mmCIF file of all heavy atoms in Angstrom:
data_model
loop_
_atom_site.group_PDB
_atom_site.id
_atom_site.type_symbol
_atom_site.label_atom_id
_atom_site.label_comp_id
_atom_site.label_asym_id
_atom_site.label_seq_id
_atom_site.Cartn_x
_atom_site.Cartn_y
_atom_site.Cartn_z
ATOM 1 N N VAL A 16 -53.455 27.701 17.584
ATOM 2 C CA VAL A 16 -52.320 28.425 16.978
ATOM 3 C C VAL A 16 -51.431 28.993 18.076
ATOM 4 O O VAL A 16 -50.203 28.874 18.024
ATOM 5 C CB VAL A 16 -52.807 29.534 16.040
ATOM 6 C CG1 VAL A 16 -51.684 30.479 15.638
ATOM 7 C CG2 VAL A 16 -53.463 28.952 14.813
ATOM 8 N N LEU A 17 -51.989 29.599 19.105
ATOM 9 C CA LEU A 17 -51.182 30.158 20.203
ATOM 10 C C LEU A 17 -50.417 29.055 20.938
ATOM 11 O O LEU A 17 -49.250 29.238 21.295
ATOM 12 C CB LEU A 17 -52.067 30.912 21.191
ATOM 13 C CG LEU A 17 -52.616 32.235 20.685
ATOM 14 C CD1 LEU A 17 -53.600 32.842 21.694
ATOM 15 C CD2 LEU A 17 -51.492 33.225 20.426
ATOM 16 N N ALA A 18 -51.028 27.923 21.179
ATOM 17 C CA ALA A 18 -50.339 26.804 21.811
ATOM 18 C C ALA A 18 -49.182 26.309 20.967
ATOM 19 O O ALA A 18 -48.095 26.015 21.479
ATOM 20 C CB ALA A 18 -51.321 25.665 22.099
ATOM 21 N N ALA A 19 -49.397 26.219 19.659
ATOM 22 C CA ALA A 19 -48.313 25.787 18.782
ATOM 23 C C ALA A 19 -47.153 26.779 18.781
ATOM 24 O O ALA A 19 -45.976 26.384 18.858
ATOM 25 C CB ALA A 19 -48.829 25.613 17.359
ATOM 26 N N LEU A 20 -47.473 28.061 18.750
ATOM 27 C CA LEU A 20 -46.422 29.065 18.789
ATOM 28 C C LEU A 20 -45.688 29.043 20.136
ATOM 29 O O LEU A 20 -44.470 29.201 20.144
ATOM 30 C CB LEU A 20 -47.009 30.470 18.525
ATOM 31 C CG LEU A 20 -47.510 30.725 17.114
ATOM 32 C CD1 LEU A 20 -48.208 32.069 17.043
ATOM 33 C CD2 LEU A 20 -46.361 30.651 16.123
ATOM 34 N N ALA A 21 -46.373 28.870 21.205
ATOM 35 C CA ALA A 21 -45.736 28.793 22.521
ATOM 36 C C ALA A 21 -44.819 27.598 22.593
ATOM 37 O O ALA A 21 -43.724 27.682 23.127
ATOM 38 C CB ALA A 21 -46.799 28.707 23.626
ATOM 39 N N GLY A 22 -45.215 26.471 21.998
ATOM 40 C CA GLY A 22 -44.346 25.287 21.982
ATOM 41 C C GLY A 22 -43.088 25.561 21.201
ATOM 42 O O GLY A 22 -41.998 25.123 21.621
ATOM 43 N N CYS A 23 -43.175 26.244 20.078
ATOM 44 C CA CYS A 23 -41.981 26.551 19.289
ATOM 45 C C CYS A 23 -41.069 27.470 20.038
ATOM 46 O O CYS A 23 -39.856 27.282 20.038
ATOM 47 C CB CYS A 23 -42.375 27.236 17.964
ATOM 48 S SG CYS A 23 -43.206 26.130 16.821
ATOM 49 N N ALA A 24 -41.603 28.459 20.720
ATOM 50 C CA ALA A 24 -40.752 29.407 21.470
ATOM 51 C C ALA A 24 -40.017 28.719 22.595
ATOM 52 O O ALA A 24 -38.846 28.963 22.811
ATOM 53 C CB ALA A 24 -41.599 30.562 21.969
ATOM 54 N N SER A 25 -40.690 27.822 23.330
ATOM 55 C CA SER A 25 -40.047 27.191 24.455
ATOM 56 C C SER A 25 -38.980 26.232 23.998
ATOM 57 O O SER A 25 -37.940 26.092 24.625
ATOM 58 C CB SER A 25 -41.057 26.516 25.358
ATOM 59 O OG SER A 25 -41.688 25.447 24.653
ATOM 60 N N SER A 26 -39.179 25.514 22.910
ATOM 61 C CA SER A 26 -38.179 24.590 22.422
ATOM 62 C C SER A 26 -36.954 25.323 21.905
ATOM 63 O O SER A 26 -35.850 24.898 22.053
ATOM 64 C CB SER A 26 -38.730 23.621 21.374
ATOM 65 O OG SER A 26 -39.093 24.313 20.233
ATOM 66 N N ALA A 27 -37.174 26.484 21.235
ATOM 67 C CA ALA A 27 -36.039 27.277 20.768
ATOM 68 C C ALA A 27 -35.247 27.842 21.926
ATOM 69 O O ALA A 27 -34.035 27.885 21.883
ATOM 70 C CB ALA A 27 -36.533 28.406 19.851
ATOM 71 N N ALA A 28 -35.937 28.262 22.978
ATOM 72 C CA ALA A 28 -35.247 28.814 24.131
ATOM 73 C C ALA A 28 -34.456 27.744 24.846
ATOM 74 O O ALA A 28 -33.416 28.027 25.459
ATOM 75 C CB ALA A 28 -36.254 29.454 25.068
ATOM 76 N N ALA A 29 -34.865 26.473 24.784
ATOM 77 C CA ALA A 29 -34.176 25.400 25.479
ATOM 78 C C ALA A 29 -32.973 24.877 24.679
ATOM 79 O O ALA A 29 -32.182 24.099 25.187
ATOM 80 C CB ALA A 29 -35.147 24.254 25.775
ATOM 81 N N SER A 30 -32.862 25.262 23.435
ATOM 82 C CA SER A 30 -31.745 24.768 22.616
ATOM 83 C C SER A 30 -30.450 25.487 22.980
ATOM 84 O O SER A 30 -30.436 26.688 23.233
ATOM 85 C CB SER A 30 -32.043 25.046 21.135
ATOM 86 O OG SER A 30 -30.922 24.731 20.340
ATOM 87 N N PRO A 31 -29.331 24.750 22.966
ATOM 88 C CA PRO A 31 -28.054 25.386 23.224
ATOM 89 C C PRO A 31 -27.593 26.295 22.065
ATOM 90 O O PRO A 31 -26.659 27.089 22.249
ATOM 91 C CB PRO A 31 -27.060 24.217 23.398
ATOM 92 C CG PRO A 31 -27.875 23.008 23.449
ATOM 93 C CD PRO A 31 -29.253 23.316 22.907
ATOM 94 N N ALA A 32 -28.217 26.178 20.898
ATOM 95 C CA ALA A 32 -27.819 27.016 19.780
ATOM 96 C C ALA A 32 -28.072 28.483 20.120
ATOM 97 O O ALA A 32 -29.139 28.840 20.641
ATOM 98 C CB ALA A 32 -28.624 26.641 18.516
ATOM 99 N N VAL A 100 -28.672 23.648 28.860
ATOM 100 C CA VAL A 100 -29.418 24.870 29.037
ATOM 101 C C VAL A 100 -30.273 24.724 30.319
ATOM 102 O O VAL A 100 -30.943 23.710 30.502
ATOM 103 C CB VAL A 100 -30.329 25.157 27.821
ATOM 104 C CG1 VAL A 100 -31.172 26.426 28.078
ATOM 105 C CG2 VAL A 100 -29.509 25.320 26.562
ATOM 106 N N GLY A 102 -32.795 27.364 31.948
ATOM 107 C CA GLY A 102 -33.415 28.683 31.897
ATOM 108 C C GLY A 102 -32.663 29.552 30.859
ATOM 109 O O GLY A 102 -32.576 29.189 29.706
ATOM 110 N N GLN A 103 -32.082 30.639 31.317
ATOM 111 C CA GLN A 103 -31.350 31.532 30.424
ATOM 112 C C GLN A 103 -29.849 31.412 30.600
ATOM 113 O O GLN A 103 -29.090 32.336 30.287
ATOM 114 C CB GLN A 103 -31.790 32.991 30.675
ATOM 115 C CG GLN A 103 -33.224 33.264 30.219
ATOM 116 C CD GLN A 103 -33.346 33.064 28.700
ATOM 117 O OE1 GLN A 103 -32.620 33.636 27.907
ATOM 118 N NE2 GLN A 103 -34.304 32.204 28.291
ATOM 119 N N ARG A 120 -27.337 33.638 28.563
ATOM 120 C CA ARG A 120 -27.719 33.816 27.155
ATOM 121 C C ARG A 120 -27.608 35.279 26.826
ATOM 122 O O ARG A 120 -28.012 36.148 27.582
ATOM 123 C CB ARG A 120 -29.152 33.310 26.910
ATOM 124 C CG ARG A 120 -29.512 33.301 25.438
ATOM 125 C CD ARG A 120 -30.909 32.791 25.179
ATOM 126 N NE ARG A 120 -31.129 31.396 25.435
ATOM 127 C CZ ARG A 120 -30.887 30.412 24.586
ATOM 128 N NH1 ARG A 120 -30.388 30.670 23.383
ATOM 129 N NH2 ARG A 120 -31.125 29.147 24.890
#
Side-chain angles (χ1 to χ4, degrees):
V16 168
L17 288 174
L20 290 174
C23 290
S25 64
S26 65
S30 173
V100 176
Q103 291 298 306
R120 189 180 290 275

